Amino acid sequence: MTEPNTPPSPTPGGAPDSLPASDLWAAQATAPAPAAAGPKSAPASEPGWERVVLEKLAMASLAEQRAARRWKVFFRFMWLLLVVAIFWGAMLQGSPSANKSAPHTAVVDIKGEIASGAEASAEFVVAAMRSAFEDEGSKAVVLLINSPGGSPVQAGIINDEITRLKAKHNKPVYAVVEETCASAAYYIAAAADEIFVDKASIVGSIGVLMDGFGFTGTMEKLGVERRLLTAGENKGFLDPFSPQTEQQRTYAQAMLNQIHQQFIAVVKAGRGDRLKTTPETFSGLFWTGQQAVEMGLADKLGNLDYVAREVVKAEGIIDYTRRDNVAERLVKRFGAAMGAGAAKAATSVVVPQLR
């Protein structure tokens, strides 16, 4: 007798005994996979994945370019600040940093060639002297000189202004010579109340010169013809490529003699009875500082510190010298200097010099 059909009993694993092994493998293959943690990345087989990757690369490149631009702007801004700081410091260059209200000795440098456009020009020296005289704290003004000379016009302007400022402010002016005080530089120093020198300084050269070259003989040997057209018989006066006439030479010598007499008069007025005149005093010779004291061209031996401490009685020293700032020096070096040199070469102008 057969037994009635009964449902199969479950096995300890919970799977029915009657389920074949092949069905178990099929069930596992078709079962949904567990959800992965985090966002699901697009599979390589998903349509449009190339576009997603390209968009990510483009966004990363754009972010990198933006960061590079920000750094470039930052560095440019820092360079701009540095340039502004340099120019600001240059504009303040030469201005006294000490307390001007305190008693002090004011100093104005006269160094290098005395000429228009130079640091020892009348424009700069006169402006510095005015500031020094007008300061209530300055007890005296010291002209610190180290110059071989230069323009008699520039020296005359400075000399006249020293005389005027001394009378207006009732302050003494002392000239202190370092290495050289010759020609136009001595023209200026003669207006000082006293002149102090080092025993080895070079002082004097009270004379005037006008120098140039003549190439007429060389041109004749080379067969070169000078073609100079002028309106006025003396318009080509002192032209180096034209012969000099005796009349022109006499005229130039008379002009130099007149300027020389002006120089002599200034020295005599400034030095007075202290000057021990000899036939060589105004001959254009120069002497050591020790000889200059003996001749009355200078008063004593001494330097800047000695004058401030022992003569002015104000050891504090403030420099009032006017100097070109960085921008002005660049312009003169690369612009104005080249233009001036070209103009000088083109015109060949020769002017009297106190050198």
Side-chain angles (χ1 to χ4, degrees), residues 151-175:
S151 166
V153 175
Q154 298 290 309
I157 294 172
I158 298 172
N159 182 285
D160 293 342
E161 191 66 12
I162 293 172
T163 303
R164 187 187 73 84
L165 291 172
K166 283 197 305 181
K168 179 180 179 180
H169 297 279
N170 194 26
K171 292 182 180 180
V173 177
Y174 303 106

Side-chain angles (χ1 to χ4, degrees), residues 188-209:
I188 295 171
D193 295 299
E194 288 186 282
I195 301 176
F196 294 83
V197 297
D198 184 85
K199 59 183 178 293
S201 299
I202 299 300
V203 182
S205 187
I206 303 173
V208 189
L209 63 81

Side-chain angles (χ1 to χ4, degrees), residues 61-62 130 144 174 178 212 235 261 274 317 322 326 334-335 343-344 346:
S61 177
L62 182 61
R130 288 174 182 171
L144 189 60
Y174 303 106
E178 293 184 325
K235 189 59 180 178
Q261 290 302 316
R274 294 171 291 182
I317 296 173
R322 290 282 302 275
V326 175
F334 298 106
K344 185 175 180 181

Side-chain angles (χ1 to χ4, degrees), residues 169-240:
H169 297 279
N170 194 26
K171 292 182 180 180
V173 177
Y174 303 106
V176 175
V177 179
E178 293 184 325
E179 281 83 4
T180 307
C181 179
S183 257
Y186 190 79
Y187 194 119
I188 295 171
D193 295 299
E194 288 186 282
I195 301 176
F196 294 83
V197 297
D198 184 85
K199 59 183 178 293
S201 299
I202 299 300
V203 182
S205 187
I206 303 173
V208 189
L209 63 81
M210 181 184 291
D211 55 356
F213 296 93
F215 299 98
T216 54
T218 303
M219 292 172 63
E220 290 176 0
K221 292 180 179 180
L222 296 176
V224 179
E225 179 186 0
R226 170 66 164 164
R227 296 176 178 176
L228 175 65
L229 303 178
T230 64
E233 59 181 346
N234 292 311
K235 189 59 180 178
F237 180 35
L238 296 178
D239 174 51

